Amino acid sequence: MDDTHAAPRAVRGREAATEASMAKPAADIKSLNLALQGGGAHGAFTWGVLDRLLEDGRVRFEGVSATSAGAMNATVMAYGYAVGGPEGARRALAGFWRRISHAAAMGPLQPSALDRVLGNRGLAYSPAFLMFDLVTRLLSPYQFNPLNRNPLRDVLLQTVDFEALRSAAMPIKLFLSATNVRTGKVKVFENAEICVDAVLASGCLPFLFQAVAIGGEHYWDGGYMGNPALFPLIAGCECRDILVVHINPLEREGVPQTATDILNRINEISFNSSLMREMRAISFVTRLIDEGTADATRLKRILIHGIAADDVMTGLGVASKLNADWDFLVELRDLGRSHAERWLEAHFASLGRESTVDIRERFL
């Protein structure tokens, strides 16, 4: 990308965002914070959700906290918004996922002919995936990928001008979570710190990629400590509404019995654990406010909303998170758009007024 045009593009983007906001009466536009989970190729579901919300035009995003694939969606969307307003964000997201699919088509992890005939999205009959799965169980990424090649780096650099992203007066606050390997603590990268390595760190699964080094520290996937982290939105944004876009199912029927299913469920539980803890804290503070035992002028009542497709996600195997076949990505995108459409119809009027998720029933 030509950095000499970064500043003018950012200015034009802010003007486009302002014009888009002026197109609707101010009373019809509501602020919303987003919390985007990670989940590999399943992040195309989040792409669809964002695409529909941006198209609708009645919500303004103040902040986005995100992890892994969610961090990539968030970064691409924020950059596209900065340089081209809502339509720029939609174009950037579509271009990013198209590049992901193109990059995957050049590699071995693709559905086999039998997978395609059976409509199986999990690469169950892909010899390349079976070999890949075996290798990653026996060898570390320092052994099977000593050159530390990550195709996601090139895709991100083709999509986002990170220098412009850091220097522009961004209309959206970004909070990307990664896990510090040494301390085990969550690291939240904010707008001025975000570079391609920060995004890759947020999605660095330790069995697939070498830890990402930034500023003398090493980082793994943020899902271990915040998938996604809600506290940056609570402390760093004025808006009280948080929409969580779920990728990892909270519940599954039955007990997993195969090694793959057991590992998948362990990952789902561990990657949801930090979110469950934060929801417990939000529920506790809300109860104190409701009971009048806490000073409501000092504590913020947080309103929680959610979009999920657990009925579909529970039917997809863990291997499908590595399936970037374009037809599958488009299927997930359309699923995300339809769920966002239903959410807007059912809950837009509740923004700024009340939660549309029963925290105790769903999370506690």
Side-chain angles (χ1 to χ4, degrees):
M1 293 187 179
D2 184 357
D3 290 348
T4 61
H5 299 296
R9 285 204 309 272
V11 171
R12 289 196 299 271
R14 290 196 298 276
E15 291 174 349
T18 301
E19 290 173 1
S21 297
M22 292 174 62
K24 288 182 176 292
D28 293 338
I29 298 176
K30 297 187 178 183
S31 292
L32 181 64
N33 292 323
L34 297 173
L36 310 180
Q37 285 197 323
H42 293 184
F45 171 80
T46 302
W47 165 30
V49 171
L50 297 176
D51 187 68
R52 182 64 190 91
L53 294 177
L54 289 162
E55 180 184 60
D56 184 83
R58 289 180 295 166
V59 291
R60 179 186 68 85
F61 306 134
E62 180 183 359
V64 186
S65 181
T67 296
S68 197
M72 297 181 192
N73 274 320
T75 302
V76 170
M77 180 189 72
Y79 172 71
Y81 199 101
V83 300
E87 287 304 311
R90 296 180 67 201
R91 288 193 299 269
L93 284 166
F96 169 75
W97 284 99
R98 176 63 82 174
R99 292 186 181 101
I100 287 286
S101 181
H102 284 170
M106 302 298 292
L109 295 180
Q110 301 179 53
S112 66
L114 186 55
D115 286 321
R116 295 183 188 278
V117 169
L118 297 176
N120 168 50
R121 300 305 194 182
L123 309 177
Y125 300 102
S126 167
F129 169 73
L130 295 175
M131 179 61 68
F132 176 80
D133 188 45
L134 178 62
V135 168
T136 56
R137 291 174 191 266
L138 297 176
L139 302 175
S140 82
Y142 296 88
Q143 296 170 309
F144 69 75
N145 185 15
L147 297 179
N148 199 23
R149 294 294 303 275
N150 187 339
L152 291 172
R153 175 182 293 275
D154 292 336
V155 171
L156 285 165
L157 289 174
Q158 291 166 9
T159 307
V160 177
D161 183 337
F162 283 92
E163 184 175 341
L165 182 71
R166 291 189 298 274
S167 62
M170 292 292 291
I172 298 175
K173 299 175 184 177
L174 287 180
F175 307 96
L176 309 186
S177 295
T179 301
N180 186 306
V181 178
R182 180 180 63 84
T183 66
K185 297 177 181 179
V186 64
K187 164 64 177 178
V188 178
F189 294 96
E190 299 188 24
N191 291 57
E193 305 171 283
I194 291 174
C195 57
V196 67
D197 284 330
V199 182
L200 292 174
S202 183
C204 180
L205 289 169
F207 300 109
L208 299 182
F209 304 111
Q210 296 181 24
V212 178
I214 302 175
E217 295 285 359
H218 289 79
Y219 297 97
W220 281 338
D221 196 292
Y224 296 107
M225 296 305 295
N227 191 28
L230 301 185
F231 70 86
L233 299 174
I234 298 172
C237 297
E238 294 295 324
C239 177
R240 298 186 301 152
D241 292 88
I242 298 176
L243 171 62
V244 183
V245 182
H246 297 270
I247 297 294
N248 300 293
L250 291 171
E251 298 183 10
R252 278 186 182 269
E253 297 296 329
V255 177
Q257 298 186 359
T258 68
T260 298
D261 288 345
I262 290 171
L263 287 173
N264 182 42
R265 188 56 183 152
I266 289 173
N267 284 335
E268 287 176 346
I269 291 172
S270 61
F271 273 36
N272 279 322
S273 62
S274 60
L275 180 63
M276 304 278 273
R277 289 194 297 272
E278 287 195 281
M279 288 297 184
R280 184 177 295 277
I282 290 172
S283 176
F284 176 69
V285 170
T286 300
R287 181 161 55 86
L288 292 180
I289 294 174
D290 289 342
E291 293 174 349
T293 55
D295 185 354
T297 63
R298 298 181 60 187
L299 296 177
K300 183 189 298 185
R301 180 189 295 275
I302 300 300
L303 308 179
I304 298 297
H305 315 277
I307 294 179
D310 287 358
D311 56 330
V312 175
M313 296 303 181
T314 53
L316 298 174
V318 62
S320 65
K321 293 181 178 180
L322 298 174
N323 180 6
D325 179 74
W326 181 245
D327 289 343
F328 181 45
L329 298 181
V330 169
E331 181 182 315
L332 290 172
R333 178 204 65 190
D334 292 346
L335 181 70
R337 280 184 56 87
S338 65
H339 276 67
E341 175 69 30
R342 290 199 291 270
W343 182 83
L344 285 167
E345 291 177 357
H347 301 305
F348 176 78
S350 297
L351 290 179
R353 296 170 47 195
E354 61 185 1
S355 292
T356 56
V357 170
D358 186 328
I359 296 178
R360 295 191 61 83
E361 179 181 347
R362 180 158 175 76
F363 294 100
L364 307 189

